[in-house]
Amino acid sequence: MWSRREQEVEIGRPPRFMQGERVRAIRHIKNDGTYPGKEIGENLVRKGDEGYVRDIGTFLQQFFIYAVEWIDRGTVVGMRARELISLDKVEVPCGAEGISNGGTAG
């Protein structure tokens, strides 16, 4: 049974990451049997690994799949957005948008 999160249709919105964007894995990824030349259960990507989005595809007309090139590993692995964070985009903390002048309200 799918959770509510899995029922969302991601492709109705723009992709979260763009081609060439530098990303970091936020969880370990193991081969589920779809990665050729590796054993099922073998680690493909480790939490903290850094790579670059090379291509963006879709799965089941519902999810974006990001083909990420993991430079240190020399592999390209398909990843979901929930498994990645951007290293190129600056995340603005909630409520910080209106603060300027060195941290004082202006």
Side-chain angles (χ1 to χ4, degrees), residues 16-77:
R16 191 176 305 169
F17 308 102
M18 304 314 285
Q19 288 180 326
E21 189 168 341
R22 191 167 60 122
V23 293
R24 177 178 292 143
I26 59 174
R27 56 178 71 168
H28 297 292
I29 304 300
K30 294 182 178 187
N31 185 14
D32 61 1
T34 59
Y35 195 92
K38 301 281 186 179
E39 295 293 322
I40 293 175
E42 188 174 342
N43 277 327
L44 299 175
V45 179
R46 294 205 176 271
K47 181 178 179 179
D49 283 355
E50 296 180 7
Y52 293 88
V53 176
R54 291 297 171 219
D55 197 12
I56 303 167
T58 60
F59 179 66
L60 298 176
Q61 298 179 346
Q62 186 172 7
F63 306 112
F64 286 112
I65 300 296
Y66 301 91
V68 178
E69 182 175 357
W70 303 100
I71 305 300
D72 291 343
R73 294 182 171 276
T75 60
V76 176
V77 177

Side-chain angles (χ1 to χ4, degrees), residues 1-11 13 61-63 80 82:
M1 187 167 172
W2 286 12
S3 69
R4 180 177 186 90
R5 184 169 155 192
E6 289 295 310
Q7 292 175 8
E8 289 182 26
V9 178
E10 291 178 1
I11 64 172
R13 300 182 305 269
Q61 298 179 346
Q62 186 172 7
F63 306 112
R80 295 273 309 272
R82 68 181 186 204

